Amino acid sequence: MRLSRVALVPVVFLAVCVLPFAAASPWAALVLLLPLAAAVWVLRVGVDVDDEAITTRGVLGQRRVPWDDLAGIRVVRNARLRLVTRGGGEVALPVLRARDLPRLAGWSGGRFEVPQPPAA
């Protein structure tokens, strides 16, 4: 799962907005690195789920957590998700939120279930 490519629209808008400043001097052209970094972030950051593991991808690297090493999933501030490993470590799931838990459970192939609220 990755961010929607629609997230590139504000990046293009940012690039257009910094062009006049970047044209002012050769050193100001370094400001163009900001939209470039934002585009790389939108295109790179995400979560891949397969039969063997969950792989989280960041701008500079990735972390693979095998299903056998997964102890659980924790919901933290702002409904962000973290994988909890059997060793006690945590790995952030960058683009997933608590609302994505049912989809993640489906992708897991039944390796975990999402608790249902009690019936009224």
CSV table of all heavy atoms in Angstrom, one decimal, residues 4-14 35 38-43:
chain,number,residue,atom,x,y,z
A,4,SER,N,-1.6,7.7,-2.3
A,4,SER,CA,-2.2,7.9,-3.6
A,4,SER,C,-1.3,8.9,-4.4
A,4,SER,O,-0.7,9.8,-3.9
A,4,SER,CB,-3.6,8.5,-3.4
A,4,SER,OG,-4.1,9.0,-4.7
A,5,ARG,N,-1.2,8.6,-5.7
A,5,ARG,CA,-0.4,9.5,-6.6
A,5,ARG,C,-1.0,10.9,-6.7
A,5,ARG,O,-0.4,11.8,-7.1
A,5,ARG,CB,-0.3,8.9,-8.0
A,5,ARG,CG,0.3,7.5,-8.0
A,5,ARG,CD,1.7,7.6,-7.5
A,5,ARG,NE,2.4,6.4,-7.5
A,5,ARG,CZ,2.9,5.7,-6.5
A,5,ARG,NH1,2.7,6.2,-5.3
A,5,ARG,NH2,3.5,4.6,-6.6
A,6,VAL,N,-2.3,11.1,-6.2
A,6,VAL,CA,-2.9,12.4,-6.1
A,6,VAL,C,-2.1,13.3,-5.2
A,6,VAL,O,-2.1,14.5,-5.3
A,6,VAL,CB,-4.3,12.3,-5.7
A,6,VAL,CG1,-5.0,13.6,-5.5
A,6,VAL,CG2,-5.1,11.5,-6.7
A,7,ALA,N,-1.3,12.6,-4.2
A,7,ALA,CA,-0.5,13.4,-3.3
A,7,ALA,C,0.6,14.1,-4.0
A,7,ALA,O,1.3,15.0,-3.4
A,7,ALA,CB,0.0,12.5,-2.2
A,8,LEU,N,0.9,13.8,-5.3
A,8,LEU,CA,1.9,14.5,-6.0
A,8,LEU,C,1.4,15.9,-6.5
A,8,LEU,O,2.2,16.8,-6.9
A,8,LEU,CB,2.3,13.7,-7.2
A,8,LEU,CG,3.2,12.5,-6.9
A,8,LEU,CD1,3.4,11.6,-8.2
A,8,LEU,CD2,4.5,12.9,-6.3
A,9,VAL,N,0.1,16.2,-6.5
A,9,VAL,CA,-0.5,17.5,-6.9
A,9,VAL,C,0.1,18.6,-6.1
A,9,VAL,O,0.6,19.6,-6.6
A,9,VAL,CB,-2.0,17.4,-7.0
A,9,VAL,CG1,-2.6,18.8,-7.2
A,9,VAL,CG2,-2.5,16.5,-8.0
A,10,PRO,N,0.0,18.5,-4.7
A,10,PRO,CA,0.6,19.6,-3.9
A,10,PRO,C,2.1,19.7,-4.1
A,10,PRO,O,2.7,20.8,-4.0
A,10,PRO,CB,0.3,19.2,-2.5
A,10,PRO,CG,-0.7,18.1,-2.5
A,10,PRO,CD,-0.6,17.5,-3.9
A,11,VAL,N,2.8,18.6,-4.4
A,11,VAL,CA,4.2,18.6,-4.7
A,11,VAL,C,4.5,19.5,-6.0
A,11,VAL,O,5.4,20.3,-6.0
A,11,VAL,CB,4.8,17.2,-4.8
A,11,VAL,CG1,6.3,17.3,-5.2
A,11,VAL,CG2,4.7,16.5,-3.5
A,12,VAL,N,3.7,19.3,-7.0
A,12,VAL,CA,3.9,20.1,-8.2
A,12,VAL,C,3.6,21.5,-7.9
A,12,VAL,O,4.3,22.4,-8.4
A,12,VAL,CB,3.0,19.5,-9.3
A,12,VAL,CG1,2.9,20.4,-10.5
A,12,VAL,CG2,3.4,18.1,-9.7
A,13,PHE,N,2.5,21.8,-7.1
A,13,PHE,CA,2.2,23.1,-6.7
A,13,PHE,C,3.4,23.8,-6.0
A,13,PHE,O,3.7,24.9,-6.2
A,13,PHE,CB,0.9,23.2,-5.9
A,13,PHE,CG,0.4,24.5,-5.5
A,13,PHE,CD1,-0.1,25.4,-6.5
A,13,PHE,CD2,0.6,25.0,-4.2
A,13,PHE,CE1,-0.5,26.6,-6.1
A,13,PHE,CE2,0.1,26.2,-3.9
A,13,PHE,CZ,-0.4,27.1,-4.8
A,14,LEU,N,4.0,23.0,-5.1
A,14,LEU,CA,5.1,23.6,-4.3
A,14,LEU,C,6.3,23.9,-5.3
A,14,LEU,O,6.9,24.9,-5.2
A,14,LEU,CB,5.6,22.5,-3.3
A,14,LEU,CG,6.9,22.9,-2.5
A,14,LEU,CD1,6.7,24.1,-1.7
A,14,LEU,CD2,7.3,21.7,-1.7
A,35,PRO,N,10.8,20.2,-3.3
A,35,PRO,CA,9.7,19.4,-4.0
A,35,PRO,C,10.2,18.1,-4.4
A,35,PRO,O,9.5,17.1,-4.5
A,35,PRO,CB,9.3,20.3,-5.2
A,35,PRO,CG,10.0,21.6,-4.9
A,35,PRO,CD,11.0,21.5,-3.9
A,38,ALA,N,10.0,15.8,-1.5
A,38,ALA,CA,8.6,15.5,-1.2
A,38,ALA,C,8.1,14.4,-2.2
A,38,ALA,O,7.4,13.5,-1.9
A,38,ALA,CB,7.8,16.7,-1.3
A,39,ALA,N,8.5,14.6,-3.5
A,39,ALA,CA,8.0,13.6,-4.5
A,39,ALA,C,8.6,12.2,-4.2
A,39,ALA,O,7.9,11.2,-4.4
A,39,ALA,CB,8.4,14.1,-5.9
A,40,VAL,N,9.9,12.2,-3.9
A,40,VAL,CA,10.5,10.9,-3.5
A,40,VAL,C,9.8,10.2,-2.3
A,40,VAL,O,9.5,9.0,-2.4
A,40,VAL,CB,12.0,11.1,-3.2
A,40,VAL,CG1,12.6,9.8,-2.6
A,40,VAL,CG2,12.8,11.4,-4.5
A,41,TRP,N,9.4,11.0,-1.4
A,41,TRP,CA,8.7,10.5,-0.2
A,41,TRP,C,7.3,9.9,-0.6
A,41,TRP,O,7.0,8.8,-0.2
A,41,TRP,CB,8.5,11.6,0.8
A,41,TRP,CG,7.9,11.1,2.1
A,41,TRP,CD1,8.5,10.5,3.1
A,41,TRP,CD2,6.6,11.2,2.5
A,41,TRP,NE1,7.6,10.2,4.1
A,41,TRP,CE2,6.4,10.6,3.7
A,41,TRP,CE3,5.4,11.8,1.9
A,41,TRP,CZ2,5.2,10.5,4.4
A,41,TRP,CZ3,4.2,11.7,2.5
A,41,TRP,CH2,4.1,11.1,3.8
A,42,VAL,N,6.6,10.7,-1.4
A,42,VAL,CA,5.3,10.2,-1.9
A,42,VAL,C,5.4,8.9,-2.6
A,42,VAL,O,4.6,8.0,-2.5
A,42,VAL,CB,4.6,11.3,-2.7
A,42,VAL,CG1,3.4,10.7,-3.4
A,42,VAL,CG2,4.2,12.4,-1.8
A,43,LEU,N,6.4,8.8,-3.5
A,43,LEU,CA,6.5,7.6,-4.4
A,43,LEU,C,7.2,6.4,-3.6
A,43,LEU,O,6.9,5.3,-4.0
A,43,LEU,CB,7.4,8.0,-5.6
A,43,LEU,CG,6.7,9.0,-6.5
A,43,LEU,CD1,7.7,9.4,-7.6
A,43,LEU,CD2,5.5,8.4,-7.1
